[in-house]
Amino acid sequence: MSPRKRARISRGIQYGLLVVAVVVLAVSIDWGRVGDQIFNVEAAQDLFPKIPRAFLNTLMYTAAAFAVGLSLGTVLALMKLSSVGVYRWLATIYIEFFRGIPALLVVIAFAYAVPIALGVSISSLTLKAALALGMVSAAYIAETLRAGIEAVPRGQIEAARSLGMSHGRTLLTVVIPQAFRIVLPPMTNEIILLTKDTSLIYLMGLLPTQFDLTKIGRDALSSGSGGGLTGLFVAGIGYLCITIPLGLLARWLEKRTGKGSRS
């Protein structure tokens, strides 16, 4: 038997086992209960008036957190590459700390611990969410940008300096623009992660006008009005409406960047 025929038979067996597993799973599921507890149309319709506002709030929290993360991450990336040892150490400590602790703890800290410790009260929920999630995101963005900056060809930096550009101008006009182009795909993935992390904002306490998608789903689950997990299912669909286009954009940017680097 030829290797190609053996591979064809092996694939056929695998496909057969997959079909059997799907059939067994489909037969064992109580579809009536699933429809009532997860795909309850009436419960979903009750949530629809709240979804547009929650959807927009989720986008707003994501954009605000990304703005903070990108700004702070850029500074941290430059500090990490600085020739000044103190800057490198400070950036390294920050990055390792915020990459090592869960975003959940940071959100809780900004909701309760920071106001008590510093004696300040941040009235804007969007600002609190942006600071909490943005500070965590900055640690990841800093490492991504650092890798992008280091990927810029050294010859272009030397050419810019030979033309009389200062170190700062070279960074701003030559290095950083190219680094951002290199890191666009992973940066888009970071926005996807931030979008999902907005599900933690409910811990800060939300007014009805501030609800995000997760809060809508959790309230529907605990309301006892029926529908079971339908609210969480609807919230999940809302997140997918944001993350799937971003994922497609990341893949398109990756292909475009790859073609640009080959040309």
Side-chain angles (χ1 to χ4, degrees):
M1 186 180 298
S2 65
R4 180 177 296 180
K5 190 172 183 179
R6 285 199 299 269
R8 192 181 304 121
I9 293 174
S10 175
R11 284 197 299 271
I13 293 173
Q14 294 175 38
Y15 293 152
L17 291 175
L18 179 60
V19 170
V20 170
V22 171
V23 171
V24 170
L25 180 63
V27 171
S28 61
I29 291 177
D30 185 349
W31 290 106
R33 187 172 184 181
V34 168
D36 182 59
Q37 296 294 317
I38 300 178
F39 307 120
N40 192 310
V41 177
E42 293 181 359
Q45 288 176 342
D46 293 338
L47 295 175
F48 282 160
K50 304 176 183 178
I51 293 299
R53 184 60 181 265
F55 188 86
L56 291 176
N57 284 342
T58 300
L59 289 176
M60 181 176 62
Y61 299 146
T62 301
F66 182 70
V68 173
L70 182 61
S71 303
L72 182 56
T74 302
V75 173
L76 289 169
L78 295 177
M79 289 175 63
K80 191 76 180 286
L81 295 172
S82 173
S83 58
V84 181
V86 175
Y87 291 163
R88 292 198 306 272
W89 276 105
L90 288 174
T92 300
I93 291 171
Y94 181 99
I95 291 170
E96 295 304 323
F97 177 80
F98 280 97
R99 288 202 306 175
I101 62 174
L104 174 66
L105 296 183
V106 181
V107 171
I108 294 175
F110 266 88
Y112 305 105
V114 171
I116 295 174
L118 301 181
V120 296
S121 177
I122 303 176
S123 58
S124 171
L125 175 69
T126 303
L127 180 57
K128 284 195 293 187
L131 290 174
L133 297 180
M135 289 182 70
V136 176
S137 179
Y140 295 93
I141 290 177
E143 285 295 275
T144 302
L145 282 176
R146 179 189 59 79
I149 291 173
E150 290 180 337
V152 175
R154 186 70 184 174
Q156 297 191 25
I157 301 174
E158 294 174 351
R161 296 303 300 273
S162 68
L163 292 174
M165 290 188 182
S166 64
H167 179 70
R169 186 179 178 187
T170 301
L171 278 177
L172 291 176
T173 61
V174 177
V175 178
I176 292 180
Q178 293 189 67
F180 272 109
R181 182 184 176 188
I182 293 171
V183 302
L184 270 178
M187 201 70 75
T188 308
N189 291 328
E190 179 59 31
I191 299 176
I192 293 175
L193 294 176
L194 263 179
T195 302
K196 294 187 291 184
D197 282 345
T198 58
S199 61
L200 302 173
I201 293 176
Y202 77 91
L203 294 168
M204 293 182 169
L206 305 179
L207 298 174
T209 56
Q210 300 170 328
F211 281 10
D212 67 331
L213 291 169
T214 299
K215 180 64 173 175
I216 294 291
R218 290 187 75 258
D219 283 1
L221 179 63
S222 59
S223 65
S225 59
L229 299 172
T230 301
L232 293 179
F233 175 76
V234 171
I237 294 297
Y239 280 108
L240 288 175
C241 289
I242 300 173
T243 57
I244 288 178
L246 286 174
L248 295 174
L249 176 62
R251 284 192 288 273
W252 179 79
L253 289 172
E254 190 172 358
K255 291 179 181 178
R256 186 177 177 84
T257 304
K259 289 180 182 178
S261 63
R262 290 194 296 269
S263 58

